[in-house]
Amino acid sequence: MTSPAVPVVRVAPIPKQKRQTFVQWLKSNGWRHAIAWVAVAFAVTPVLWVVSAAFTTNPTISSGSLIPTDPTLDNFKRLLNNPDQPYVNWYVNTMLLAIIVALFTVLIGAGAAYAFSRFRFKGRKVGLMFLLLVQMFPQFLALVAIYLIMAQVSDVFSGIGLDSLIGLGLVYLGGAMGINAWLIKGFFDTIPMEIDESAKVDGASHGQIFWGIILPLAAPVLAVVGLLSVIFTINEFVIASALLQSPQKLTLAVGLQQFIGEKYSENWGPFAAGALLAAIPVVLLFIFLQRFIVGGLTQGSVKG
Amino acid sequence: MIQRLIAQLGGTPALLLKLLFLGLVNGMTVWAIPTMISNQSWVMMAVLVVATLALDFILLTSRYIPAKYVIIGAIFLTIFQLIPIFYNVSIAFTNYSTGNIGTKPDAITAIVRDSAAESEDSTSYDMLPTRNATGDLVLILTPQVIAADTPVDATDPMAPSASADPGLEEFGGEPAASEPALEEFGGAETTPSAAPSGDLTSGTNDLNVATDAEASDLPPTYAGTNDGLDELPASDVQRDEFGTVVSATGFVNVPPDELSTLESEFNDLAIPGPQGGVIKPQGYATAAELVPTLTYDAAADTFTSLDTGVVYSNNGSGNFANPDNVEDVLVPGWREYIGFTNFTNVFTDSQIRDPFIAVFIWTFVYAILSVFLTFVLGLSLAIVLNKPRMRGQRIYRALLVLPYAVPAFLSILVWAGLLNDDFGAINSVTGWNVPWLFDPFWARVSVVLVNLWLGFPYMFLVSTGALQSIPSELQEAARVDGARSFQVWRRVNMPLLLVALAPLLIASFAFNFNNFNGIYLLTGGGPAMDNSEVAGATDILISYTYKIAFSAGQGNDYGLASAISIYIFIIVGTISAISFARSRALREDRA
């Protein structure tokens, strides 16, 4: 269920060019620029449209233009000041949930990867195969069962069952070990055993080796796993919409879907503002961690 | 610095942290045991106790060091992935659905209770809702002197709720829960309570009678609770000039504007009446003693209707049914194991089969089209931009990756707005008038188009990576051997690319096969198919399953949804197995 991974992108150095005629340029590189422009337009237009709508007062979806003529913050005010749609709660819920789940996902995945990479024990191969096998059954396929289990949990621990963000986070952690353990193990395997052994000679325990040596060295792959987990949690709709009920406990995906559903023309402006606010941290995170993504996945990846 | 800190933590503080953590876990388990026993949640209790003991054993002893690193993840995996899978499989073999939720004894109780109706000789009461000193709802009841056959629910807003079954509302307001017990029977001759048999003036008559009665002896007044009727001394009861009871000493009237909030409290009331039935509120001002119209014969395991004499027998699939008319079943039913019925219904029951086949085919078309189009576009762009002497590559790449960086659910909701056919930007800017989301064909075009937008940046990135990892020596060698550039592409580059990217393409197929958000957030699976209440033209299997299980309105069929999800698993599992078998990861570990 993790998002697809990004491989290395190496940009070749651009050698100095001689002056060309326009036709020569068109033949060699010009058509490439033309295609690139069209593709960029396809990729970027919807995004620009939303940014523009966010800053336009009462935009209809159609009347918006790519550059707002008279930019205002009205939509943000309408979005944040409406108690019927507690956007701030959704925002905080989603980001906290995403970060906390990512943190535990990384720890659970790294722990399992450490055991499978550094220890030889009975059932190791079976365990690894088992993790792959279980991963083939996406968690949300068992949605009905998860819902019914959480309904039972509600009766005993009212805080972590249905309609609880903690409960939702716990459910997400059920999918934390499978493919992540494999991904991280691939990276751990590339860290030479000699490092562990020399630490062991110096008297380090297995815990000290894990926390003090392996984890810091594996930072790139841990960042990738964490980022993928954050993106997964923010995008997850099915389980969240089945488990969460109270308006102030929703995640952004469920909340915004309910907010905009059926009322596109009415709520388009505030929705655009909300979408913009929600997208910014994720896009920034993506940009900041891109070099980790590149580094992490080329070294330890199972994904080519 | 950090290393030193961790080295220090390795001693006593780490041990203390561990003990604190274990203390919390053990404390929670012990605290929860009494509740679980009283709820009879045996499976849950077993899982929790075993998990806690395993955690204690592995973290406190040093026998299994690797297990210390796996145990917490393994517990989560077990509780929220493995157990749901097994539970899911077991649900698939049941008739678990709206109307078949509880146990058989619960269903029998509910059928008897819901069949309760006013009979010819049952008493009606004038009712005054009040609260006693402790705030509990008490109905002040005065028998109406004429045995009324007043219409009960013809115009009364509260009447339907009187037959609602709170025990079944586990999943929030299922339609069937509030239906009358004899679902298939048309009102009049079989269910007197729903029959508008009373004359329109009966209400006035009652009033007159009460006035007349004032002169002679007044009917007794009772305080009705679930414990029964308690006669009130006449001196404690205050009446108006018509003889209607307006208040009672020791009880506070419920204010008129709060009456509408009493629905659930009314539902919980079942006052035992003198004729062996229960007295239930019929609206806000009257109550009636209702007597069951169905009786259960435990020895024969049948229900007999007192009105029609029909004998309903256990049909073996969770309902009491009329043997002469299989459609005539009593609701609610109960959960029953029904073997492979859900699995075979997908192929034999035409109401399920026809939409299922349409959805099944579209799922494959959608997934294959998505992979193919994103790959073609992504690869083409990668080839176009993979030119050493080209300015602006960096900025092109950064902008092309933008759809991949924005959370997909947001993009999809935005696209749903842009494609809206009334006021969507695409129609109004282009001047087209395409029903993007409301025509079956165009809705399918839309979901594929949006998925292309979402997916091509990924294919662009992986194709660029794969292209750049092809050794240039190979291409040069081919050229030296006389190959033209097209031949170099066809014979050298493409095979190498496909070998590198095949696992990713398969993974992408598996992802799109279950791309719930891509469908549900854009079209909701719609527009609706002609031959199905649930399935829509753009529904893929996973969104179809979700709607079967959870969408309101059509009722929820958990059993069927679970069975279909197992089919999905078999399909995706087979595809994934092929991909994993080819994956580098496995081979590396074998080495």
Side-chain angles (χ1 to χ4, degrees):
Chain A
M1 295 236 310
T2 45
S3 305
V6 188
V8 64
V9 178
R10 276 188 228 95
V11 180
I14 304 170
K16 289 217 164 163
Q17 279 178 275
K18 283 187 216 160
R19 290 220 163 256
Q20 306 173 306
T21 64
F22 179 72
V23 178
Q24 275 174 331
W25 177 80
L26 203 66
K27 262 191 175 166
S28 67
N29 277 354
W31 63 276
R32 294 176 192 268
H33 285 283
I35 291 176
W37 271 97
V38 173
V40 165
F42 176 57
V44 168
T45 310
V47 179
L48 286 183
W49 206 275
V50 171
V51 174
S52 155
F55 291 102
T56 310
T57 311
N58 293 326
T60 58
I61 298 176
S62 52
S63 75
S65 60
L66 280 184
I67 299 152
T69 42
D70 183 19
T72 68
L73 293 176
D74 275 8
N75 290 322
F76 293 90
K77 288 177 195 149
R78 270 180 67 195
L79 175 77
L80 300 178
N81 296 333
N82 185 349
D84 292 341
Q85 118 259 330
Y87 179 81
V88 178
N89 284 7
W90 301 343
Y91 201 90
V92 174
N93 291 346
T94 307
M95 297 305 163
L96 275 183
L97 185 71
I99 291 168
I100 293 171
V101 167
L103 208 66
F104 281 101
T105 298
V106 165
L107 286 180
I108 287 174
Y114 182 57
F116 284 115
S117 170
R118 288 308 200 251
F119 295 90
R120 293 293 176 270
F121 51 89
K122 224 177 162 185
R124 176 175 169 276
K125 282 244 153 102
V126 177
L128 276 170
M129 282 305 299
F130 177 75
L131 282 185
L132 271 188
L133 210 75
V134 164
Q135 202 60 32
M136 285 184 208
F137 193 97
Q139 210 179 11
F140 59 85
L141 278 185
L143 183 61
V144 171
I146 288 175
Y147 179 89
L148 298 171
I149 288 173
M150 293 311 271
Q152 273 192 40
V153 171
S154 287
D155 295 340
V156 181
F157 305 99
S158 54
I160 60 173
L162 289 181
D163 201 21
S164 152
L165 286 157
I166 299 177
L168 183 63
L170 294 175
V171 172
Y172 289 162
L173 286 181
M177 202 157 82
I179 203 69
N180 293 327
W182 270 94
L183 199 64
I184 301 173
K185 174 186 168 290
F187 191 95
F188 283 3
D189 286 344
T190 65
I191 301 174
M193 280 288 244
E194 287 77 20
I195 300 182
D196 305 29
E197 274 152 22
S198 68
K200 234 179 257 171
V201 171
D202 290 348
S205 69
H206 58 84
Q208 285 167 322
I209 294 172
F210 177 63
W211 293 100
I213 297 174
I214 302 285
L215 281 193
L217 283 176
V221 77
L222 301 184
V224 172
V225 168
L227 175 68
L228 293 181
S229 166
V230 164
I231 290 176
F232 164 76
T233 305
I234 290 178
N235 273 319
E236 207 288 321
F237 176 84
V238 196
I239 302 176
S241 77
L243 295 188
L244 300 177
Q245 288 143 12
S246 327
Q248 75 278 8
K249 284 187 185 162
L250 301 181
T251 61
L252 280 169
V254 182
L256 282 177
Q257 194 262 345
Q258 290 179 4
F259 174 54
I260 192 73
E262 306 298 323
K263 280 185 281 184
Y264 268 97
S265 54
E266 218 174 293
N267 289 337
W268 181 247
F271 168 77
L276 189 63
L277 289 180
I280 286 173
V282 184
V283 173
L284 287 182
L285 194 67
F286 193 86
I287 293 170
F288 281 129
L289 290 182
Q290 212 170 5
R291 76 192 167 92
F292 280 120
I293 296 177
V294 170
L297 284 165
T298 44
Q299 294 182 48
S301 159
V302 293
K303 293 201 160 182
Chain B
M1 163 72 190
I2 295 171
Q3 264 91 338
R4 196 179 302 159
L5 193 76
I6 288 165
Q8 282 170 351
L9 274 174
T12 330
L15 186 67
L16 282 178
L17 267 179
K18 192 158 80 176
L19 289 178
L20 187 71
F21 169 70
L22 286 178
L24 274 174
V25 173
N26 284 283
M28 254 174 62
T29 305
V30 171
W31 173 83
I33 283 177
T35 326
M36 290 186 289
I37 289 174
S38 73
N39 289 357
Q40 305 194 318
S41 314
W42 305 125
V43 177
M44 185 178 164
M45 192 165 98
V47 169
L48 207 58
V49 168
V50 169
T52 309
L53 289 179
L55 205 60
D56 291 344
F57 178 72
I58 284 170
L59 290 189
L60 289 178
T61 67
S62 290
R63 290 198 51 178
Y64 300 104
I65 289 170
K68 287 174 192 278
Y69 291 91
V70 182
I71 181 72
I72 294 180
I75 288 174
F76 276 111
L77 184 79
T78 309
I79 296 179
F80 294 112
Q81 185 135 18
L82 288 184
I83 292 177
I85 291 173
F86 287 114
Y87 194 16
N88 199 65
V89 172
S90 83
I91 293 170
F93 289 96
T94 69
N95 62 350
Y96 198 176
S97 58
T98 303
N100 293 73
I101 285 172
T103 61
K104 190 176 173 188
D106 289 346
I108 291 169
T109 315
I111 289 172
V112 170
R113 186 183 50 219
D114 291 352
S115 79
E118 272 182 290
S119 64
E120 287 298 314
D121 50 347
S122 68
T123 321
S124 289
Y125 296 85
D126 286 326
M127 177 181 87
L128 181 67
T130 63
R131 294 191 182 279
N132 64 11
T134 55
D136 295 327
L137 186 68
V138 177
L139 302 181
I140 304 298
L141 299 166
T142 313
Q144 294 171 350
V145 175
I146 286 186
D149 53 349
T150 325
V152 183
D153 55 359
T155 56
D156 201 325
M158 281 301 295
S161 67
S163 65
D165 175 5
L168 281 170
E169 299 207 298
E170 203 180 333
F171 299 102
E174 281 118 347
S178 58
E179 280 165 17
L182 293 160
E183 189 180 36
E184 300 299 329
F185 280 26
E189 68 279 15
T190 52
T191 49
S193 73
S197 59
D199 59 311
L200 289 168
T201 56
S202 64
T204 338
N205 287 346
D206 288 346
L207 200 65
N208 294 339
V209 169
T211 319
D212 296 342
E214 196 182 11
S216 55
D217 59 335
L218 290 161
T221 296
Y222 303 96
T225 63
N226 279 357
D227 296 331
L229 292 179
D230 203 5
E231 186 168 352
L232 295 172
S235 58
D236 281 359
V237 179
Q238 292 85 41
R239 293 164 187 271
D240 65 9
E241 66 266 33
F242 304 111
T244 311
V245 175
V246 291
S247 62
T249 310
F251 299 96
V252 183
N253 290 4
V254 176
D257 57 333
E258 285 178 21
L259 287 175
S260 59
T261 65
L262 292 177
E263 186 168 346
S264 71
E265 283 183 273
F266 276 178
N267 284 337
D268 293 340
L269 273 181
I271 303 165
Q275 286 151 315
V278 288
I279 300 170
K280 297 288 281 184
Q282 309 287 323
Y284 301 131
T286 51
E289 179 164 358
L290 307 177
V291 182
T293 57
L294 287 163
T295 54
Y296 179 63
D297 179 353
D301 197 20
T302 56
F303 266 101
T304 308
S305 168
L306 298 178
D307 297 311
T308 59
V310 173
V311 176
Y312 294 86
S313 54
N314 185 343
N315 68 0
S317 50
N319 281 96
F320 289 104
N322 184 344
D324 301 327
N325 175 8
V326 287
E327 296 291 307
D328 179 11
V329 296
L330 302 179
V331 290
W334 61 94
R335 274 172 86 170
E336 185 76 87
Y337 281 89
I338 54 169
F340 285 90
T341 310
N342 285 321
F343 294 92
T344 53
N345 272 353
V346 170
F347 300 109
T348 55
D349 180 341
S350 68
Q351 278 194 325
I352 301 173
R353 181 188 56 208
D354 298 349
F356 178 84
I357 288 175
V359 168
F360 183 84
I361 293 170
W362 168 242
T363 308
F364 273 92
V365 172
Y366 172 74
I368 290 169
L369 267 182
S370 295
V371 175
F372 179 76
L373 292 178
T374 52
F375 180 60
V376 167
L377 182 59
L379 178 63
S380 310
L381 286 173
I383 293 168
V384 168
L385 289 182
N386 190 36
K387 170 93 184 192
R389 300 173 170 204
M390 186 173 170
R391 281 167 209 272
Q393 267 182 338
R394 242 171 225 277
I395 189 82
Y396 286 141
R397 290 208 164 110
L399 290 174
L400 286 176
V401 173
L402 198 60
Y404 188 52
V406 177
F409 86 91
L410 284 173
S411 312
I412 297 167
L413 290 174
V414 165
W415 272 103
L418 297 178
L419 290 167
N420 190 298
D421 60 342
D422 291 330
F423 40 76
I426 293 181
N427 274 354
S428 55
V429 168
T430 57
W432 300 337
N433 195 13
V434 178
W436 290 107
L437 301 177
F438 299 100
D439 172 82
F441 172 77
W442 287 110
R444 287 174 175 162
V445 170
S446 297
V447 290
V448 171
L449 179 79
V450 171
N451 215 21
L452 173 64
W453 186 85
L454 289 168
F456 88 87
Y458 169 72
M459 291 297 184
F460 168 69
L461 284 175
V462 296
S463 303
T464 304
L467 270 180
Q468 291 178 342
S469 68
I470 294 175
S472 56
E473 294 84 26
L474 285 180
Q475 299 170 25
E476 279 156 25
R479 279 203 199 92
V480 169
D481 287 349
R484 291 190 205 138
S485 13
F486 178 73
Q487 283 174 312
V488 173
W489 257 103
R490 178 110 206 288
R491 306 276 174 190
V492 178
N493 290 0
M494 273 320 273
L496 286 170
L497 269 180
L498 284 178
V499 166
L501 296 181
L504 295 181
L505 295 182
I506 294 170
S508 172
F509 176 84
F511 173 80
N512 282 307
F513 197 87
N514 281 327
N515 191 351
F516 180 88
N517 283 12
I519 299 292
Y520 193 81
L521 295 183
L522 193 64
T523 63
M529 280 184 201
D530 297 335
N531 59 356
S532 170
E533 287 177 5
V534 182
T538 54
D539 260 323
I540 55 174
L541 286 170
I542 185 70
S543 64
Y544 180 51
T545 310
Y546 178 85
K547 284 157 82 176
I548 290 174
F550 289 101
S551 77
Q554 293 93 3
N556 313 327
D557 194 338
Y558 303 112
L560 180 63
S562 301
I564 296 181
S565 77
I566 289 170
Y567 281 128
I568 299 177
F569 165 62
I570 292 171
I571 297 166
V572 177
T574 312
I575 294 161
S576 307
I578 296 167
S579 130
F580 279 130
R582 300 168 57 123
S583 132
R584 190 150 56 98
L586 273 178
R587 264 173 273 152
E588 256 175 19
D589 196 67
R590 277 193 211 110

